[in-house]
Amino acid sequence: MRVHKLTFAALAVAAGLTLTACQNGEDGAAQGGPSSASSAASTPPSSSTPSSPGGGSSPGGSDQGGGKGSAGTGSNGKGTAAGTGSTGSTENAKADKCRTDDLEITAIDSTIGGDTDGTVAVQLKNRGSRDCTLSEYAGVDLKTSAGSLSAQRTGEHPGPAVLKKGAAISFGVTYPLNTSGGSGVRVTGLVVTPPDETKSVTLAWPGAATLPVTDGTGSPVKVGPIGSAGQGG
């Protein structure tokens, strides 16, 4: 009887182990079956999606977010064409320098009674085919019985002036009047060189016939900038 009881007990334990193994196999098949494989196939591993070095979006996302459409485009949506208008207006405002051959140069006495200094107004008229530019000061020399006398600039800087075709502009030449009663220095001519030019024009001197004799250094004759003696038409 004792032997039969032990045999039955061993059979019961073996049956229990067999049942547990079968249950575990069924659970494993349920977990690793077709539905689980399908889910794994539909979700790619994270390593298949590249990322930017800084941890931002991937290169593909960068192209979609602001790549080709914004590259090389100005604030008005037309790129470098935005500056075309201002460049064109600057070029249109430019004019060539006035040349001596395109200018009609004349001089008149414009001294006002009671002044201690005499004044000669030199006029430059544009007789060329287009507008031109004069920059501040012309060169002025007086021919005298004592030699050539160069006028000194008064020092103002009004900037260049555009002289329209057919228009005229003037500048002033001032000099001391000879009130000494002596013969003084006789003036025989006026030499004018337009700004930025080397060709001069010699005119008859329209002012007082003589200058006082001075012992001081420097020239007593002064020249003002272009436009300092009014503007003609």
Side-chain angles (χ1 to χ4, degrees):
M1 292 296 292
R2 181 176 178 83
V3 174
H4 289 295
K5 288 180 178 180
L6 291 173
T7 300
F8 289 145
L11 291 173
V13 171
L17 291 174
T18 300
L19 180 60
T20 302
C22 291
Q23 291 176 349
N24 288 339
E26 291 174 356
D27 292 340
Q31 294 176 0
S35 60
S36 176
S38 174
S39 175
S42 62
T43 305
S46 60
S47 60
S48 66
T49 304
S51 61
S52 63
S57 60
S58 66
S62 174
D63 289 344
Q64 295 173 2
K68 298 180 181 179
S70 62
T73 303
S75 60
N76 66 345
K78 297 182 180 179
T80 56
T84 302
S86 61
T87 303
S89 62
T90 301
E91 292 175 352
N92 291 337
K94 290 181 180 179
D96 293 334
K97 295 177 182 179
C98 296
R99 300 303 180 189
T100 303
D101 292 339
D102 292 329
L103 296 172
E104 180 183 346
I105 304 175
T106 56
I108 61 171
D109 182 16
S110 61
T111 304
I112 298 176
D115 286 352
T116 57
D117 289 330
T119 302
V120 167
V122 179
Q123 178 179 272
L124 296 85
K125 184 175 182 178
N126 183 4
R127 62 183 181 184
S129 59
R130 53 187 172 180
D131 301 350
C132 61
T133 302
L134 294 167
S135 57
E136 297 196 345
Y137 286 90
V140 172
D141 297 279
L142 269 62
K143 289 184 174 182
T144 74
S145 56
S148 181
L149 182 63
S150 296
Q152 293 185 345
R153 297 178 178 182
T154 56
E156 297 96 334
H157 295 285
V162 175
L163 188 59
K164 298 291 185 179
K165 175 185 175 182
I169 194 169
S170 301
F171 64 88
V173 178
T174 58
Y175 60 95
L177 295 172
N178 183 13
T179 58
S180 64
S183 58
V185 178
R186 185 167 56 90
V187 182
T188 60
L190 173 66
V191 182
V192 178
T193 308
D196 302 316
E197 267 283 50
T198 56
K199 185 176 182 179
S200 302
V201 174
T202 301
L203 307 172
W205 173 249
T210 61
L211 301 176
V213 177
T214 59
D215 296 330
T217 58
S219 174
V221 182
K222 308 293 181 184
V223 56
I226 299 295
S228 60
Q231 183 170 343

